[in-house]
Short mmCIF file of all heavy atoms in Angstrom, two decimals:
data_model
loop_
_atom_site.label_atom_id
_atom_site.label_comp_id
_atom_site.label_asym_id
_atom_site.label_seq_id
_atom_site.Cartn_x
_atom_site.Cartn_y
_atom_site.Cartn_z
N VAL A 79 -9.21 -0.24 -14.63
CA VAL A 79 -8.64 -0.22 -15.98
C VAL A 79 -7.19 -0.73 -15.96
O VAL A 79 -6.78 -1.53 -16.80
CB VAL A 79 -8.72 1.21 -16.57
CG1 VAL A 79 -7.87 1.35 -17.83
CG2 VAL A 79 -10.17 1.58 -16.87
N ILE A 80 -6.42 -0.27 -14.98
CA ILE A 80 -5.02 -0.69 -14.88
C ILE A 80 -4.93 -2.18 -14.59
O ILE A 80 -4.13 -2.90 -15.22
CB ILE A 80 -4.28 0.13 -13.80
CG1 ILE A 80 -4.10 1.57 -14.27
CG2 ILE A 80 -2.93 -0.51 -13.45
CD1 ILE A 80 -3.59 2.51 -13.21
N LEU A 81 -5.71 -2.67 -13.64
CA LEU A 81 -5.66 -4.09 -13.29
C LEU A 81 -6.06 -4.98 -14.46
O LEU A 81 -5.48 -6.05 -14.66
CB LEU A 81 -6.52 -4.37 -12.06
CG LEU A 81 -6.02 -3.72 -10.76
CD1 LEU A 81 -7.04 -3.92 -9.64
CD2 LEU A 81 -4.66 -4.25 -10.37
N GLU A 82 -7.02 -4.54 -15.24
CA GLU A 82 -7.42 -5.30 -16.42
C GLU A 82 -6.29 -5.32 -17.46
O GLU A 82 -5.98 -6.36 -18.05
CB GLU A 82 -8.71 -4.74 -17.03
CG GLU A 82 -9.12 -5.40 -18.33
CD GLU A 82 -9.31 -6.90 -18.25
OE1 GLU A 82 -9.61 -7.44 -17.16
OE2 GLU A 82 -9.14 -7.58 -19.30
N ALA A 83 -5.65 -4.17 -17.68
CA ALA A 83 -4.54 -4.11 -18.64
C ALA A 83 -3.36 -4.96 -18.14
O ALA A 83 -2.71 -5.65 -18.93
CB ALA A 83 -4.10 -2.66 -18.85
N LYS A 84 -3.09 -4.92 -16.87
CA LYS A 84 -2.03 -5.74 -16.26
C LYS A 84 -2.31 -7.21 -16.50
O LYS A 84 -1.43 -7.97 -16.90
CB LYS A 84 -1.95 -5.42 -14.77
CG LYS A 84 -1.00 -6.31 -13.98
CD LYS A 84 -1.19 -6.05 -12.49
CE LYS A 84 -0.49 -7.05 -11.63
NZ LYS A 84 -0.99 -8.42 -11.73
N ARG A 85 -3.55 -7.63 -16.24
CA ARG A 85 -3.94 -9.03 -16.43
C ARG A 85 -3.82 -9.43 -17.90
O ARG A 85 -3.25 -10.46 -18.23
CB ARG A 85 -5.37 -9.26 -15.94
CG ARG A 85 -5.81 -10.73 -16.04
CD ARG A 85 -7.31 -10.89 -16.01
NE ARG A 85 -7.99 -10.22 -17.10
CZ ARG A 85 -8.02 -10.65 -18.37
NH1 ARG A 85 -7.40 -11.74 -18.72
NH2 ARG A 85 -8.67 -9.98 -19.30
N ARG A 86 -4.33 -8.58 -18.76
CA ARG A 86 -4.34 -8.86 -20.20
C ARG A 86 -2.92 -9.02 -20.73
O ARG A 86 -2.66 -9.87 -21.58
CB ARG A 86 -5.07 -7.73 -20.92
CG ARG A 86 -5.48 -8.02 -22.34
CD ARG A 86 -6.34 -6.91 -22.96
NE ARG A 86 -5.76 -5.58 -22.85
CZ ARG A 86 -6.21 -4.60 -22.05
NH1 ARG A 86 -7.28 -4.79 -21.31
NH2 ARG A 86 -5.62 -3.43 -22.01
N GLN A 87 -1.98 -8.22 -20.23
CA GLN A 87 -0.60 -8.28 -20.71
C GLN A 87 0.27 -9.26 -19.93
O GLN A 87 1.45 -9.45 -20.26
CB GLN A 87 0.02 -6.88 -20.66
CG GLN A 87 -0.64 -5.93 -21.64
CD GLN A 87 0.03 -4.57 -21.64
OE1 GLN A 87 1.23 -4.45 -21.42
NE2 GLN A 87 -0.75 -3.53 -21.90
N GLY A 88 -0.29 -9.87 -18.89
CA GLY A 88 0.46 -10.86 -18.11
C GLY A 88 1.62 -10.26 -17.33
O GLY A 88 2.65 -10.91 -17.13
N LEU A 89 1.45 -9.04 -16.86
CA LEU A 89 2.50 -8.35 -16.12
C LEU A 89 2.33 -8.54 -14.62
O LEU A 89 1.22 -8.74 -14.13
CB LEU A 89 2.50 -6.86 -16.46
CG LEU A 89 2.82 -6.52 -17.92
CD1 LEU A 89 2.54 -5.05 -18.20
CD2 LEU A 89 4.26 -6.88 -18.24
N SER A 90 3.42 -8.41 -13.90
CA SER A 90 3.39 -8.47 -12.43
C SER A 90 3.44 -7.06 -11.86
O SER A 90 3.83 -6.11 -12.55
CB SER A 90 4.57 -9.27 -11.90
OG SER A 90 5.79 -8.56 -12.13
N PHE A 91 3.08 -6.92 -10.59
CA PHE A 91 3.21 -5.62 -9.92
C PHE A 91 4.68 -5.21 -9.87
O PHE A 91 5.01 -4.03 -9.99
CB PHE A 91 2.62 -5.66 -8.51
CG PHE A 91 1.11 -5.65 -8.50
CD1 PHE A 91 0.40 -6.71 -7.97
CD2 PHE A 91 0.40 -4.57 -9.00
CE1 PHE A 91 -0.98 -6.70 -7.95
CE2 PHE A 91 -0.98 -4.55 -8.99
CZ PHE A 91 -1.68 -5.62 -8.46
N GLU A 92 5.57 -6.18 -9.70
CA GLU A 92 7.01 -5.89 -9.68
C GLU A 92 7.46 -5.28 -11.01
O GLU A 92 8.21 -4.30 -11.03
CB GLU A 92 7.81 -7.16 -9.39
CG GLU A 92 9.28 -6.91 -9.14
CD GLU A 92 9.57 -6.22 -7.83
OE1 GLU A 92 9.07 -6.68 -6.78
OE2 GLU A 92 10.31 -5.21 -7.85
N GLN A 93 6.97 -5.81 -12.12
CA GLN A 93 7.32 -5.25 -13.44
C GLN A 93 6.78 -3.83 -13.58
O GLN A 93 7.46 -2.96 -14.14
CB GLN A 93 6.78 -6.14 -14.55
CG GLN A 93 7.50 -7.47 -14.66
CD GLN A 93 6.81 -8.43 -15.60
OE1 GLN A 93 5.62 -8.70 -15.46
NE2 GLN A 93 7.56 -8.94 -16.57
N LEU A 94 5.59 -3.59 -13.09
CA LEU A 94 5.03 -2.24 -13.16
C LEU A 94 5.82 -1.29 -12.27
O LEU A 94 6.06 -0.13 -12.64
CB LEU A 94 3.54 -2.25 -12.80
CG LEU A 94 2.64 -3.06 -13.73
CD1 LEU A 94 1.20 -3.00 -13.27
CD2 LEU A 94 2.78 -2.60 -15.18
N ALA A 95 6.25 -1.77 -11.10
CA ALA A 95 7.05 -0.94 -10.21
C ALA A 95 8.38 -0.58 -10.87
O ALA A 95 8.85 0.56 -10.76
CB ALA A 95 7.29 -1.67 -8.89
N ASP A 96 8.98 -1.54 -11.56
CA ASP A 96 10.23 -1.25 -12.28
C ASP A 96 10.00 -0.18 -13.34
O ASP A 96 10.84 0.69 -13.54
CB ASP A 96 10.77 -2.52 -12.92
CG ASP A 96 11.31 -3.52 -11.90
OD1 ASP A 96 11.55 -3.14 -10.74
OD2 ASP A 96 11.49 -4.69 -12.28
N THR A 97 8.85 -0.24 -14.00
CA THR A 97 8.51 0.77 -15.02
C THR A 97 8.38 2.15 -14.39
O THR A 97 8.87 3.14 -14.93
CB THR A 97 7.19 0.39 -15.71
OG1 THR A 97 7.36 -0.85 -16.39
CG2 THR A 97 6.75 1.46 -16.69
N VAL A 98 7.72 2.21 -13.25
CA VAL A 98 7.48 3.48 -12.56
C VAL A 98 8.76 4.00 -11.90
O VAL A 98 8.97 5.19 -11.77
CB VAL A 98 6.34 3.31 -11.52
CG1 VAL A 98 6.21 4.51 -10.62
CG2 VAL A 98 5.02 3.03 -12.24
N GLY A 99 9.60 3.07 -11.44
CA GLY A 99 10.82 3.46 -10.73
C GLY A 99 10.62 3.60 -9.24
O GLY A 99 11.32 4.37 -8.58
N ARG A 100 9.66 2.86 -8.69
CA ARG A 100 9.35 2.90 -7.26
C ARG A 100 9.27 1.48 -6.72
O ARG A 100 9.26 0.51 -7.47
CB ARG A 100 7.99 3.57 -7.03
CG ARG A 100 7.93 5.03 -7.31
CD ARG A 100 8.47 5.85 -6.15
NE ARG A 100 7.88 7.18 -6.16
CZ ARG A 100 7.45 7.81 -5.08
NH1 ARG A 100 7.53 7.26 -3.91
NH2 ARG A 100 6.94 9.01 -5.20
N HIS A 101 9.15 1.37 -5.40
CA HIS A 101 9.01 0.08 -4.72
C HIS A 101 7.68 -0.56 -5.12
O HIS A 101 6.69 0.15 -5.38
CB HIS A 101 9.07 0.29 -3.21
CG HIS A 101 9.17 -0.97 -2.43
ND1 HIS A 101 8.06 -1.73 -2.11
CD2 HIS A 101 10.23 -1.62 -1.90
CE1 HIS A 101 8.44 -2.79 -1.42
NE2 HIS A 101 9.76 -2.75 -1.28
N VAL A 102 7.65 -1.87 -5.16
CA VAL A 102 6.45 -2.60 -5.59
C VAL A 102 5.25 -2.29 -4.70
O VAL A 102 4.12 -2.16 -5.19
CB VAL A 102 6.71 -4.12 -5.69
CG1 VAL A 102 7.05 -4.73 -4.33
CG2 VAL A 102 5.53 -4.83 -6.33
N VAL A 103 5.45 -2.16 -3.39
CA VAL A 103 4.31 -1.90 -2.50
C VAL A 103 3.77 -0.50 -2.74
O VAL A 103 2.55 -0.31 -2.85
CB VAL A 103 4.69 -2.11 -1.02
CG1 VAL A 103 3.55 -1.71 -0.10
CG2 VAL A 103 5.08 -3.58 -0.77
N TRP A 104 4.64 0.49 -2.87
CA TRP A 104 4.17 1.86 -3.12
C TRP A 104 3.45 1.93 -4.47
O TRP A 104 2.39 2.52 -4.58
CB TRP A 104 5.33 2.86 -3.09
CG TRP A 104 4.84 4.27 -3.25
CD1 TRP A 104 4.48 5.12 -2.25
CD2 TRP A 104 4.57 4.96 -4.48
NE1 TRP A 104 4.02 6.31 -2.79
CE2 TRP A 104 4.07 6.23 -4.16
CE3 TRP A 104 4.71 4.62 -5.82
CZ2 TRP A 104 3.71 7.17 -5.12
CZ3 TRP A 104 4.36 5.56 -6.78
CH2 TRP A 104 3.86 6.82 -6.43
N THR A 105 4.04 1.32 -5.49
CA THR A 105 3.44 1.34 -6.82
C THR A 105 2.06 0.69 -6.81
O THR A 105 1.10 1.23 -7.38
CB THR A 105 4.34 0.63 -7.85
OG1 THR A 105 5.61 1.30 -7.87
CG2 THR A 105 3.73 0.65 -9.24
#
Side-chain angles (χ1 to χ4, degrees):
V79 167
I80 290 171
L81 293 173
E82 175 57 26
K84 173 189 169 295
R85 184 199 60 75
R86 195 174 52 251
Q87 294 183 32
L89 296 170
S90 69
F91 285 117
E92 188 71 51
Q93 290 170 307
L94 297 180
D96 290 344
T97 297
V98 170
R100 292 278 206 137
H101 190 277
V102 64
V103 175
W104 184 91
T105 301

